[in-house]
Amino acid sequence: MEKQHYSIAIDGPGGAGKSTIARRAAAELGFVYVDTGAIYRAVACAALFHGIDPSDEDAVSALLPSLQLELRWTEDGVQHVWLNGADISSELRTPAVSTAASRVSALPVVRQFLLEQQRVVARTHDVIMDGRDIGTVVLPDADVKIFLSASPEVRARRRWLELQEKGAPDTYEAVLADLVARDERDSNRAIAPLRPADDAVLLDTSGMTLQESIDAILKLIRKKVTV
């Protein structure tokens, strides 16, 4: 039987450039780009909006049935996240939401709530999906698995510059501290910890430009996928 859809899994820590690189690669290949981290951030936003501790599993669990999450894509492939009828994409990248997302993503009830939603997209589209457990949990049979990383200092500077463009007051030192703390939480959580899949290709982009990183990803994908 002819394969219906291709799936590419790109995992890695925060600030590694996963979203930008995966989105550009997906556009080049004609695939749908899925930023799974944004879905967890949407749950985190909802928890913060309702004054819920993102580590409180009972409270977050009670909130989940009221959440209507939807992914939409613009004509140029940019993903937007809609929560209960509102586009909240511009609210997802603040340090507060990043910290809250790291906490809610450690809750089994949240991961189970979002798991099938992610898999449905992969069953119905050719996808490049990025996150922290795509190759290990969400899409264990992905055609290509890549673990994208960079040094904490490089990743923090990238995130800080992104925040500066949005007018955020955060210092580089604060962004680095938040990033290192999130790395620690994500790597040591009991459920779906951040780690490369056994069959993932490791790619460190510390010394690469954005275009070099995109080209490297595309080269890895094209070795296994014909599009």
Side-chain angles (χ1 to χ4, degrees):
M1 180 181 296
E2 183 179 351
K3 183 175 179 63
Q4 291 186 327
H5 295 289
Y6 289 111
S7 57
I8 313 301
I10 300 181
D11 291 304
K18 298 188 303 292
S19 298
T20 302
I21 294 168
R23 183 173 65 247
R24 294 272 295 273
E28 178 74 20
L29 296 169
F31 283 22
V32 168
Y33 162 60
V34 183
D35 173 7
T36 63
I39 311 175
Y40 285 95
R41 287 170 180 269
V43 175
C45 273
L48 293 175
F49 179 78
H50 286 88
I52 293 173
D53 180 348
S55 299
D56 186 337
E57 184 160 16
D58 289 339
V60 173
S61 180
L63 175 67
L64 293 178
S66 69
L67 304 185
Q68 296 180 341
L69 291 169
E70 182 183 358
L71 299 181
R72 301 182 188 179
W73 290 269
T74 61
E75 290 186 1
D76 57 353
V78 176
Q79 174 184 292
H80 285 247
V81 181
W82 288 66
L83 174 64
N84 294 344
D87 184 351
I88 62 167
S89 305
S90 63
E91 303 172 33
L92 299 181
R93 297 292 170 182
T94 67
V97 172
S98 294
T99 298
S102 180
R103 297 187 186 282
V104 299
S105 66
L107 303 179
V109 66
V110 174
R111 305 201 73 83
Q112 189 60 40
F113 177 72
L114 297 177
L115 180 59
E116 183 59 20
Q117 182 172 353
Q118 297 168 74
R119 287 177 172 170
V120 165
V121 179
R123 286 199 295 265
T124 54
H125 300 80
D126 292 321
V127 300
I128 294 184
M129 189 175 290
D130 79 48
R132 284 168 170 74
D133 66 341
I134 308 305
T136 54
V137 177
V138 180
L139 302 177
D141 297 322
D143 298 284
V144 181
K145 300 178 186 178
I146 299 167
F147 192 86
L148 197 65
S149 66
S151 70
E153 293 77 14
V154 167
R155 290 187 286 121
R157 179 168 177 77
R158 290 171 180 170
R159 181 60 53 81
W160 176 69
L161 290 173
E162 179 182 302
L163 291 169
Q164 291 294 296
E165 290 179 359
K166 297 178 180 178
D170 307 83
T171 65
Y172 164 78
E173 289 76 15
V175 173
L176 176 61
D178 285 343
L179 183 145
V180 170
R182 184 171 190 187
D183 284 352
E184 179 72 15
R185 286 194 300 272
D186 290 349
S187 298
N188 292 287
R189 66 191 182 203
I191 304 297
L194 170 66
R195 64 174 180 81
D198 291 340
D199 53 348
V201 177
L202 307 183
L203 180 63
D204 188 318
T205 66
S206 297
M208 296 183 183
T209 64
L210 174 59
Q211 190 58 53
E212 288 171 342
S213 301
I214 295 167
D215 290 343
I217 289 285
L218 287 170
K219 184 177 180 180
L220 290 171
I221 294 171
R222 284 170 170 152
K223 284 183 178 180
K224 293 189 176 183
V225 171
T226 301
V227 294

